[in-house]
Amino acid sequence: MAFLPSRLLNAQGQASAKLGAGLGVISFVGALASALILVSEGTLAFRFLEWGPLSVGIYYDTLSAIILMLVSFLGAVVLRYSRQYMDGDPRQGGFTRWLCLTTGSVLCIVMSGNLVFFAVAWSATSLCLHKLLVFYPDRPGAMLAARKKFIISRLGDLCLLGVVILTYRQFHTWDFQQIFAAIPALSSSLYGAGGGTLTMLCLLIVTTALLKSAQFPFHSWLPDTMETPTPVSALMHAGIINAGGFLIVRLSPLVSLSPTALNTLAVFGAVTAIFASLVMLTHASVKRALAFSTVAQMGFMMLQCGLGAFSLAVLHLVAHSLYKAHAFLSSGSIVNMAKAAWTPPSRGSTRGTGILAGALIVAVGLVFIFSRVVGVGLVEKPGLWLLCSVFMMSLTYMVWNLWRHSMSTMMVAAGALMVAGVGAVYYVLHMVFEQLLGPALPVYAPGRSYVDYGLMLLLLVLFFGILLFQSLIPWWSRRTFFQALYVHARNGFYFNTLANRLTMQFWPVQTRNIKESSYEK
Amino acid sequence: MKNDVLLQSMQTACRRIPPLWPLKNFVAVNPFLGMADMPFAGAAGLMQRVGHGDILMPPSYYLKRLETGDIQDEDIIKACQQLERDGALKGLPEYDHRNVDGLVRYLKMSEGGQGQDPVLTVADWRDKNEGTAWSAFVVEEVSKWCSVYFDEGQSSWRMPWRGQSFYKAWREAARFDANPGLMGMGDFRKIVDGLSEDPMETIQMIMGILEVPEAGMTDFLHRQIMSVGGWGGYIQYRVRQAGMNGQEDTSLVEFLALRLVYDLVLFKGIKGKGWAQWKTQVAGMDAPQKMIPEASILCRLLAQQTLENSFQRRLFKGMAGCLGRQEETMSARKTLQAIFCIDVRSEIYRRNLEGRSAEIETIGFAGFFGIAVEYLPMGRRHGNVQCPVLLNPALTIRETLQDSSPGQDESMHRRLVFGQRIGAAWNAFKTSAVSCFPFVETVGLAYGVGLVQDSLRLHTSEKPGTCCGKPSTPQVSLVRKGHHHGHAHGFDTGIDDESKINMAAGALRNMGLTSGFARFVLICGHGSQTRNNPYGSGLDCGACGGHAGDVNARVAVALFNDLDVRVGLRKIDIHIPDDTVFLAGLHNTTTDDVHLFEDEVTQSADRALLETVRGWLDRASAVTRRERATRLGMQDQISHPRFDEKIRQRSKDWAQVRPEWGLAGNAAFIAAPRERTRGLNLQGRVFLHNYDVNLDPSGSVLELILCAPVVVASWINLQYYASTVNNRLFGSGNKVLHNVVGVLGVWQGNAGDLQTGLPMQSVHDGTRWMHEPLRLSVIIEASTESINVVLKKHPEVRALMDHGWLHLFAIKPGGGECFRYAGGYEWQSEEMDNAPADAAGVSEGASALAMV
């Protein structure tokens, strides 16, 4: 993607879009080819140029290969989509250029073998994306959201700068390979006292990731970026927002040295996941609901990272990206889909909730028993246990939805089949990613304190509670606290309004009336 | 006394809001529906006041058209005369140079001219004075509330006040809502707490505080609704639907109350001398409305009228050769009679089909073919209303399996519902707050396959219509069935024998098809095939209520092929020959393929002849595709060997924002025998309705045409017109920012008002307008007297013609004379360029209709 014409003529919008789409395909083919090389050659790390600690090179392991394929694939899809979608826009050429540059920057993040290079690409991604977010500068909403994001991204850049500085102080190099090589020596000394710089460093890394991935309370820019053409949303939600997760996994050998940092990550991730998925439920517009879903999914991914389930987090990252890209690009189909959907004939009764509660407890209990049988104790891997419980509860919820209206033999059979199918797929995918990535990723098994267990139990109860709560929604509508909660959730608990006012204070958007679309000339 | 004025103003303001249909059956609506009782120029002024926008193109557009278009001085002279007759030209006192140069000069003079003073809400007013962004914020808040109140299934945590009235539910919710307060509307919650439960009282209270003078009330209230006009329109739709079912719905008044509350809060937030300034401002609304529109409106109206005159002149020039044409003697029986919708897209196909053979005759009729039904597909509990929105369906028709027993139907139904339930549970797994995480991990990767399929357009296509592409072959069931039959809960379906005959006879008479039946009579509905297009139903048949017309065609065919019906028809002197076979078809307007429902024909048909028919249709499809290619920007690919496949691929593209041009370009409506237009290339710009005055001695068919198809065509025409002249106000903006809300409408981007009308991409190709905004020219071959009779009977139709919302012409039956309706039952003879009647002249005249 190095070849990028600096000034594509907007006059040749279709031609440049074609070129962009071509570049997208080429980069995807490139990523596939390099993945093949990886299979035969193993992890690649080489430096083209070396200036002391500053080297220009790539670090290419299984993780890079997976993410590289993902991002270049999404880039190719989105560029191809835009070719037709943006047809006729007088600035299609410029649009394609920034789309290419943004995708290119993400690819650089993924491949970079050096933290400084990484940070530069990181910043460049955000700056290029900014150009896309303000593609319609006559829309005040677009400007406000882009500026909110700009401020948060620069905060993130500052944190990353801190990471760069502290890394040099700790390791005297910025090269990933050398850093990773130095870690085993450190880790022995770490669980004990000391390592203040290192904890600081890890906390900064975590903060950078949280800022990048729109985590609570810095999330409010993301749902507001619907003022940009759909393909940009698709790329952003599928290919860029997860850079925070990539940063954590890429530096996981480092980050896993600091349980404090990972616990922070887990807490923020869990809070975000729960908060955003509640808000998501109240939204009536497809794109905003998708945006809150992204925030929540990123939160869950962060929770997985925080629990040390790095390979699972990568699975989540990849799967979510593909899902979300498709969801955005096909968001216009919702009307057709709704035409064919089934609506429940009437309200059932609250009785179902009791059954659900019982079933959920049984599900969690099953996980517990299973883990005992397999021999993975609660004590050794509490994180895994939490994630499996969430999975089992979700399956229960699905089946409950299926069976509460009818328990005919067909329904029972279908439900059992669905559970078995989903369970099998989940298990297989989990294993595959563990096999692929496990060897390269650190095993995170810190000494757990009771606070940790308490925290995880609390999370479990929260997830449990939310599922129950959701099943109660139709029947609680008369309760005042519930009504108030609804209104507050509907407003995203006001974080957005506050963020908007703050942004307006620092960087006012001119309040002119929306002119006729730029489209009309 | 004052309350009476307020009540009346409120009713007038509410009446001015046009309804907006939800996306699942999006039909064209005349955005000036509530303003038909005022002249066009008056409505232009009104829209400047309350909509802060124009309903005419900017002067630059007219200047360009005057330069490049086929405009002659006579068009301008005529336009002046027309405006003079309306008394409007007085607004342009110095206007005397009645030629192109003169008009150009006046347009240039008025460029940047003052429009009428806008009526302001408190939010508008504060924005103007204080540089705030309150109007945008209020729109966002109101829109947010509407989106959750009316949501049809997007959110899974539904608003807790379902079942309560709009205003009451809002009041409950607003009591908790801290958002306006946080934005600086300090007293919001306190004021809401003190509000009356009765929306009327609230309106009275607020109007009292704001001190709007009586003369300005209507406009002020109209402006209040217009400030969130999209939702206002959607609510008007609900009010309208309730009214058609005999219920009363007061949501629009409640909506007005809600909107006013935001203004009240903003008003209370005015500081210092602001209150006094506001009072001076509203006092100004007391001034009487100017009777004569501004020059800036008038000179553009003159230019608009000129363009329309030019179009009419070219159209008549083309038709001149055909006017005297005698009807062909019906000696030779045709092989194929094909009945199409009046939709302008049919014109191209019909012309190309007729070009295949002299054995083919085509007929134009409203695309529901007189069969107003509700259609209940298998596995559903609610049907689609398949008729124009002006009507209420009398019957429900069920879908069944072909030649099946009730038991088989029932088991099929159960299977479908079973699948839907699995889908619903899966959806719960996908969207719930917790299970969405494991969902993504398990299923997410599969979407990669979806991305590849959709990008490369590999998936099997979704055919248009309700029936094609299902695994089994369903058919429509006319059989009368009671509610004891499983899925049609609580209502009867099917048609009883007597209604069958009446329905068939009515449909045939209205189509003017009571004798001379061909061997095959094709009844061909139309539908579009697009992907990922929220506006898909807008491309379907408007006469079928925004659905594909296959159902109506199939029901009609089932009726006409029914032996009992034929026997019954014979008794009332309609003789359908035994060897006449009716066929149902569906014209896919995106690909121009025609699907034939051959399987549903029960009687024995001449298979070889049917193959010939099939061949004609396919050939016509291919030719039509090539003709349309230019407008799709594919003219350089016509000779490509895979051209047809490319067009079909195009309709399956999920990124395609311009799958077809729909009815863009529509400009005229002709109700006359096909002889008047046969052989003319009308460029897909004309609605063609067959009408033979000889078959309609009582004038009832004429009445029907003027009251239904003409009105529907005018709705469509004015929708395209308005979306072109002012897309911000009447259109739905840029498609790439569309965000479907509540599964019923779209937002632009994050939020804002519900969008109405057509997207920019439906009328503009990026470099030029693909729709030329012309008011509809309706041409009817009937005597002026008989038309006057209908107009007298239907004042609401006459208002459209009297006030310049469309142009009406009458062609003297059988002769070449043409009259223009001049308002007030007056007709003026229209000079026609009766130049050469030879074929060359005809084609030359007609191709002049091509858009510049």
Side-chain angles (χ1 to χ4, degrees):
Chain A
M1 294 292 285
F3 157 65
L4 281 170
S6 57
R7 192 179 291 173
L8 287 172
L9 283 174
N10 278 330
Q12 291 296 319
Q14 263 304 307
S16 46
K18 227 172 183 166
L19 179 67
L23 283 176
V25 172
I26 291 170
S27 71
F28 178 54
V29 172
L32 279 182
S34 41
L36 284 178
I37 295 173
L38 182 81
V39 171
S40 61
E41 302 284 318
T43 301
L44 287 173
F46 54 87
R47 296 171 272 282
F48 305 113
L49 287 168
E50 283 205 64
W51 303 304
L54 199 68
S55 57
V56 178
I58 61 167
Y59 184 78
Y60 189 77
D61 60 356
T62 321
L63 176 67
S64 320
I66 292 175
I67 306 293
L68 199 65
M69 281 194 287
L70 171 75
V71 174
S72 58
F73 172 64
L74 292 172
V77 168
V78 164
L79 280 163
R80 186 186 163 95
Y81 189 92
S82 310
R83 198 181 126 192
Q84 195 56 58
Y85 201 62
M86 300 301 290
D87 183 25
D89 195 291
R91 292 179 297 137
Q92 188 180 17
F95 179 83
T96 311
R97 186 209 335 173
W98 289 113
L99 206 56
C100 286
L101 278 172
T102 311
T103 317
S105 313
V106 182
L107 294 177
C108 289
I109 295 183
V110 178
M111 289 192 297
S112 75
N114 168 304
L115 194 59
V116 175
F117 188 31
F118 185 97
V120 170
W122 183 276
S123 229
T125 306
S126 152
L127 291 172
C128 294
L129 183 61
H130 184 78
K131 283 285 182 188
L132 290 169
L133 293 182
V134 297
F135 186 66
Y136 293 114
D138 51 346
R139 298 186 64 80
M143 297 306 283
L144 183 62
R147 286 173 183 183
K148 253 193 299 190
K149 174 176 184 330
F150 194 84
I151 292 170
I152 289 170
S153 294
R154 296 298 76 78
L155 283 176
D157 288 352
L158 275 180
C159 289
L160 195 56
L161 189 66
V163 172
V164 169
I165 293 168
L166 286 182
T167 306
Y168 191 69
R169 277 183 53 183
Q170 183 79 37
F171 296 99
H172 308 287
T173 178
W174 282 313
D175 189 85
F176 284 140
Q177 205 183 17
Q178 291 167 6
I179 294 174
F180 296 154
I183 283 173
L186 269 177
S187 57
S188 52
S189 68
L190 206 93
Y191 285 121
T197 317
L198 203 62
T199 308
M200 189 63 209
L201 173 60
C202 293
L203 276 173
L204 270 179
I205 294 173
V206 164
T207 315
T208 313
L210 291 175
L211 282 165
K212 184 74 175 181
S213 289
Q215 295 296 282
F216 179 86
F218 310 109
H219 62 277
S220 84
W221 62 269
L222 186 69
D224 274 5
T225 48
M226 300 310 150
E227 300 275 335
T228 183
T230 315
V232 179
S233 297
L235 183 66
M236 187 163 64
H237 285 253
I240 298 174
I241 196 78
N242 46 32
F246 177 73
L247 172 71
I248 298 289
V249 181
R250 164 54 73 232
L251 295 180
S252 56
L254 188 56
V255 187
S256 60
L257 296 180
S258 166
T260 320
L262 280 185
N263 282 348
T264 313
L265 189 65
V267 169
F268 272 96
V271 170
T272 309
I274 289 167
F275 160 85
S277 58
L278 264 187
V279 175
M280 169 189 84
L281 298 179
T282 65
H283 272 269
S285 79
V286 58
K287 284 186 181 176
R288 280 180 82 89
L290 282 176
F292 272 103
S293 143
T294 303
V295 175
Q297 298 278 2
M298 290 298 109
F300 196 74
M301 180 183 76
M302 291 299 178
L303 172 66
Q304 289 176 325
C305 287
L307 295 174
F310 296 113
S311 61
L312 207 54
V314 175
L315 167 61
H316 196 96
L317 187 159
V318 174
H320 170 258
S321 294
L322 295 172
Y323 162 65
K324 201 46 70 71
H326 192 269
F328 264 104
L329 294 180
S330 64
S331 66
S333 310
I334 184 103
V335 180
N336 259 343
M337 275 154 59
K339 273 192 212 170
W342 177 75
T343 41
S346 61
R347 294 175 175 202
S349 66
T350 39
R351 215 174 31 140
T353 305
I355 298 172
L356 177 64
L360 290 178
I361 291 169
V362 170
V364 175
L366 275 177
V367 175
F368 183 74
I369 294 168
F370 184 71
S371 67
R372 267 304 158 85
V373 171
V374 175
V376 184
L378 197 60
V379 185
E380 293 88 36
K381 284 196 162 183
L384 193 63
W385 187 72
L386 174 65
L387 294 176
C388 285
S389 297
V390 169
F391 176 69
M392 282 301 280
M393 289 200 295
S394 303
L395 281 186
T396 314
Y397 182 74
M398 174 175 75
V399 175
W400 175 74
N401 263 295
L402 188 64
W403 288 347
R404 95 185 134 137
H405 295 297
S406 152
M407 282 284 280
S408 66
T409 337
M410 284 279 276
M411 283 291 170
V412 174
L417 217 66
M418 276 161 86
V419 168
V422 171
V425 170
Y426 184 75
Y427 182 77
V428 168
L429 284 176
H430 195 153
M431 284 299 134
V432 167
F433 270 72
E434 188 65 42
Q435 286 297 316
L436 276 176
L437 290 166
L441 292 173
V443 177
Y444 173 65
R448 292 289 191 184
S449 71
Y450 284 109
V451 180
D452 291 348
Y453 291 123
L455 200 67
M456 280 180 210
L457 203 63
L458 180 70
L459 285 179
L460 185 66
V461 170
L462 268 177
F463 282 124
F464 176 80
I466 283 181
L467 273 180
L468 275 193
F469 171 79
Q470 225 189 325
S471 71
L472 280 171
I473 285 175
W475 297 287
W476 274 7
S477 58
R478 283 168 186 279
R479 303 188 181 198
T480 316
F481 93 90
F482 176 86
Q483 295 180 342
L485 182 67
Y486 172 79
V487 174
H488 301 322
R490 177 69 192 83
N491 283 306
F493 297 97
Y494 309 107
F495 284 99
N496 197 17
T497 312
L498 294 174
N500 283 350
R501 290 203 76 179
L502 264 174
T503 312
M504 292 286 275
Q505 293 258 308
F506 289 121
W507 198 354
V509 176
Q510 265 147 22
T511 53
R512 55 182 166 183
N513 290 332
I514 300 174
K515 294 255 168 58
E516 311 285 302
S517 141
S518 59
Y519 209 83
E520 274 174 63
K521 181 186 93 169
Chain B
M1 180 62 209
K2 181 143 197 259
N3 276 347
D4 287 350
V5 177
L6 176 59
L7 202 67
Q8 212 170 21
S9 310
M10 213 174 65
Q11 282 167 348
T12 315
C14 287
R15 211 174 34 238
R16 285 182 188 169
I17 304 298
L20 170 68
W21 262 257
L23 290 178
K24 64 174 191 275
N25 51 348
F26 188 78
V27 294
V29 177
N30 169 8
F32 313 111
L33 191 58
M35 288 167 253
D37 57 345
M38 59 178 80
F40 187 86
L46 177 67
M47 277 297 121
Q48 285 189 339
R49 292 200 302 278
V50 302
H52 305 181
D54 268 319
I55 65 169
L56 286 158
M57 290 299 260
S60 55
Y61 172 82
Y62 294 113
L63 287 170
K64 204 170 142 207
R65 287 301 320 271
L66 284 174
E67 219 173 89
T68 56
D70 177 12
I71 312 290
Q72 296 177 1
D73 289 349
E74 62 170 295
D75 301 326
I76 298 177
I77 294 165
K78 252 191 220 168
C80 289
Q81 286 165 355
Q82 286 148 7
L83 287 191
E84 261 167 2
R85 201 172 49 233
D86 301 340
L89 206 61
K90 285 180 206 139
L92 281 178
E94 326 78 276
Y95 191 76
D96 45 9
H97 295 284
R98 300 185 169 188
N99 52 35
V100 173
D101 291 341
L103 186 53
V104 166
R105 211 165 46 245
Y106 278 98
L107 278 170
K108 280 188 176 152
M109 252 167 63
S110 75
E111 234 170 342
Q114 274 282 305
Q116 298 204 2
D117 287 339
V119 175
L120 302 176
T121 62
V122 178
D124 295 331
W125 185 74
R126 285 190 66 177
D127 287 355
K128 197 177 135 203
N129 284 358
E130 301 167 24
T132 46
W134 286 120
S135 349
F137 178 71
V138 171
V139 168
E140 206 168 294
E141 289 290 296
V142 174
S143 186
K144 196 163 71 177
W145 169 250
C146 291
S147 74
V148 294
Y149 184 84
F150 293 115
D151 182 17
E152 289 184 359
Q154 175 69 50
S155 61
S156 22
W157 184 355
R158 305 298 288 271
M159 185 218 38
W161 300 275
R162 282 159 71 81
Q164 297 194 22
S165 73
F166 183 71
Y167 172 80
K168 205 167 159 224
W170 169 79
R171 207 168 133 265
E172 295 285 319
R175 286 192 356 226
F176 301 111
D177 196 341
N179 209 35
L182 284 172
M183 270 313 273
M185 282 189 172
D187 294 335
F188 182 76
R189 284 205 269 193
K190 217 170 78 201
I191 291 174
V192 168
D193 260 337
L195 285 178
S196 156
E197 278 201 20
D198 177 16
M200 261 318 288
E201 271 177 34
T202 305
I203 295 178
Q204 278 168 13
M205 184 266 289
I206 297 173
M207 291 300 280
I209 292 176
L210 296 181
E211 295 187 21
V212 178
E214 288 183 2
M217 265 185 192
T218 308
D219 281 1
F220 182 76
L221 295 174
H222 188 183
R223 169 65 198 154
Q224 291 286 341
I225 305 181
M226 275 296 277
S227 68
V228 203
W231 284 108
Y234 177 70
I235 293 171
Q236 181 75 296
Y237 155 79
R238 295 175 64 95
V239 170
R240 190 179 180 279
Q241 292 305 103
M244 280 180 84
N245 295 323
Q247 293 150 350
E248 202 194 354
D249 187 333
T250 57
S251 319
L252 194 56
V253 174
E254 296 177 30
F255 177 74
L256 181 59
L258 181 160
R259 175 63 187 82
L260 279 168
V261 171
Y262 284 92
D263 254 20
L264 175 70
V265 179
L266 286 172
F267 182 69
K268 293 209 166 160
I270 298 178
K271 294 194 183 68
K273 280 184 284 182
W275 287 33
Q277 284 173 7
W278 166 261
K279 278 171 191 165
T280 329
Q281 195 264 141
V282 286
M285 283 195 252
D286 219 359
Q289 298 296 336
K290 274 180 266 179
M291 294 316 290
I292 299 160
E294 277 71 13
S296 70
I297 292 180
L298 271 184
C299 68
R300 284 184 292 153
L301 183 57
L302 190 61
Q304 176 70 33
Q305 190 97 34
T306 302
L307 294 187
E308 282 155 1
N309 285 339
S310 156
F311 170 81
Q312 288 154 3
R313 176 172 48 77
R314 285 173 283 144
L315 176 63
F316 286 138
K317 189 173 178 186
M319 284 175 71
C322 310
L323 286 189
R325 191 145 73 185
Q326 280 309 302
E327 310 227 353
E328 276 176 52
T329 44
M330 282 297 175
S331 59
R333 187 178 174 198
K334 303 275 185 191
T335 306
L336 175 68
Q337 272 164 334
I339 306 167
F340 288 89
C341 183
I342 56 171
D343 192 290
V344 296
R345 287 168 288 187
S346 303
E347 188 270 325
I348 308 177
Y349 190 87
R350 284 176 63 183
R351 171 159 40 82
N352 291 323
L353 180 61
E354 283 166 353
R356 293 310 107 219
S357 160
E359 298 279 287
I360 303 170
E361 179 190 354
T362 70
I363 296 168
F365 191 74
F368 74 115
F369 309 109
I371 310 286
V373 293
E374 182 175 338
Y375 182 62
L376 190 66
M378 271 191 280
R380 300 284 170 80
R381 278 180 295 123
H382 301 285
N384 297 329
V385 173
Q386 296 261 359
C387 67
V389 295
L390 305 170
L391 305 176
N392 243 350
L395 298 162
T396 302
I397 299 292
R398 246 160 7 97
E399 179 184 51
T400 58
L401 289 174
Q402 205 155 41
D403 307 321
S404 62
S405 68
Q408 282 171 317
D409 280 344
E410 198 54 30
S411 80
M412 182 69 187
H413 171 74
R414 271 204 303 274
R415 244 172 50 209
L416 288 168
V417 171
F418 179 72
Q420 287 165 12
R421 287 191 172 196
I422 301 272
W426 187 250
N427 207 40
F429 179 46
K430 177 174 160 182
T431 55
S432 103
V434 173
S435 61
C436 61
F437 306 125
F439 170 82
V440 157
E441 277 168 28
T442 5
V443 192
L445 291 180
Y447 283 94
V449 182
L451 283 171
V452 173
Q453 276 184 339
D454 281 326
S455 294
L456 302 179
R457 297 172 259 179
L458 295 176
H459 39 72
T460 51
S461 69
E462 292 164 34
K463 286 266 189 270
T466 36
C467 43
C468 324
K470 280 194 188 164
S472 52
T473 26
Q475 69 177 17
V476 293
S477 166
L478 305 182
V479 182
R480 186 98 182 136
K481 291 236 170 92
H483 64 272
H484 57 276
H485 256 278
H487 51 301
H489 294 282
F491 48 87
D492 294 349
T493 64
I495 317 177
D496 63 46
D497 289 342
E498 198 180 331
S499 310
K500 270 186 198 170
I501 296 165
N502 291 339
M503 206 169 183
L508 287 176
R509 287 209 177 105
N510 288 336
M511 285 189 237
L513 187 67
T514 48
S515 61
F517 293 93
R519 288 292 297 280
F520 287 101
V521 182
L522 169 67
I523 300 183
C524 194
H526 66 93
S528 76
Q529 176 185 352
T530 62
R531 263 185 87 78
N532 200 20
N533 179 11
Y535 279 91
S537 62
L539 295 172
D540 280 341
C541 182
C544 301
H547 301 105
D550 55 334
V551 169
N552 304 70
R554 289 159 65 210
V555 172
V557 162
L559 271 180
F560 298 141
N561 280 340
D562 188 313
L563 291 179
D564 296 336
V565 171
R566 288 195 182 189
V567 171
L569 286 175
R570 229 162 265 162
K571 286 185 193 139
I572 49 174
D573 225 23
I574 299 176
H575 297 272
I576 302 177
D578 289 340
D579 64 347
T580 291
V581 175
F582 282 81
L583 288 169
L586 184 68
H587 175 199
N588 180 336
T589 50
T590 323
T591 63
D592 277 312
D593 284 319
V594 169
H595 176 88
L596 275 188
F597 295 86
E598 296 164 54
D599 300 340
E600 295 188 16
V601 175
T602 42
Q603 69 232 84
S604 58
D606 184 339
R607 286 286 147 187
L609 203 55
L610 190 60
E611 275 313 301
T612 316
V613 168
R614 179 75 267 175
W616 287 336
L617 291 170
D618 289 343
R619 187 76 202 116
S621 297
V623 176
T624 308
R625 273 193 286 274
R626 277 156 186 79
E627 184 175 333
R628 281 195 325 137
T630 317
R631 270 168 75 80
L632 294 175
M634 295 175 71
Q635 60 274 36
D636 49 341
Q637 296 176 41
I638 288 177
S639 47
H640 195 283
R642 289 186 62 249
F643 170 77
D644 299 273
E645 197 41 44
K646 280 189 170 184
I647 291 271
R648 289 189 194 109
Q649 283 287 323
R650 202 176 177 282
S651 73
K652 294 198 275 178
D653 189 348
W654 67 337
Q656 182 55 263
V657 285
R658 297 183 183 88
E660 58 163 296
W661 283 111
L663 292 104
N666 73 81
F669 178 103
I670 299 176
R674 177 62 172 152
E675 276 67 34
R676 300 291 166 268
T677 46
R678 200 207 304 275
L680 288 186
N681 183 344
L682 297 172
Q683 303 282 346
R685 303 192 65 181
V686 184
F687 296 91
L688 291 178
H689 197 300
N690 269 56
Y691 176 64
D692 189 342
V693 73
N694 299 321
L695 299 175
D696 182 35
S698 68
S700 63
V701 176
L702 178 68
E703 183 180 350
L704 191 76
I705 290 176
L706 277 167
C707 294
V710 166
V711 172
V712 170
S714 144
W715 280 27
I716 294 169
N717 171 266
L718 287 170
Q719 182 193 46
Y720 272 89
Y721 176 90
S723 298
T724 308
V725 296
N726 193 337
N727 201 273
R728 179 185 65 82
L729 208 52
F730 304 108
S732 53
N734 192 343
K735 250 182 162 179
V736 306
L737 295 177
H738 277 182
N739 182 1
V740 178
V741 55
V743 207
L744 59 88
V746 294
W747 279 342
Q748 281 261 81
N750 290 335
D753 195 9
L754 196 66
Q755 301 290 301
T756 62
L758 300 164
M760 201 64 186
Q761 275 90 342
S762 298
V763 288
H764 199 279
D765 78 346
T767 50
R768 66 194 175 116
W769 293 104
M770 296 303 282
H771 178 69
E772 185 185 7
L774 298 175
R775 287 168 289 172
L776 193 68
S777 303
V778 176
I779 299 149
I780 295 178
E781 183 168 311
S783 68
T784 53
E785 295 80 20
S786 57
I787 295 176
N788 275 349
V789 169
V790 177
L791 294 184
K792 272 196 185 104
K793 210 165 144 192
H794 298 278
E796 74 288 352
V797 176
R798 185 163 76 91
L800 289 175
M801 287 104 184
D802 277 358
H803 295 140
W805 295 103
L806 54 80
H807 306 283
L808 179 63
F809 296 88
I811 295 174
K812 196 173 171 190
E817 271 180 288
C818 179
F819 300 91
R820 175 194 285 268
Y821 181 70
Y825 309 112
E826 302 272 320
W827 295 82
Q828 287 179 343
S829 174
E830 179 83 5
E831 279 174 47
M832 286 177 73
D833 197 347
N834 264 326
D838 58 280
V842 166
S843 65
E844 182 202 323
S847 62
L849 289 185
M851 283 200 292
V852 187

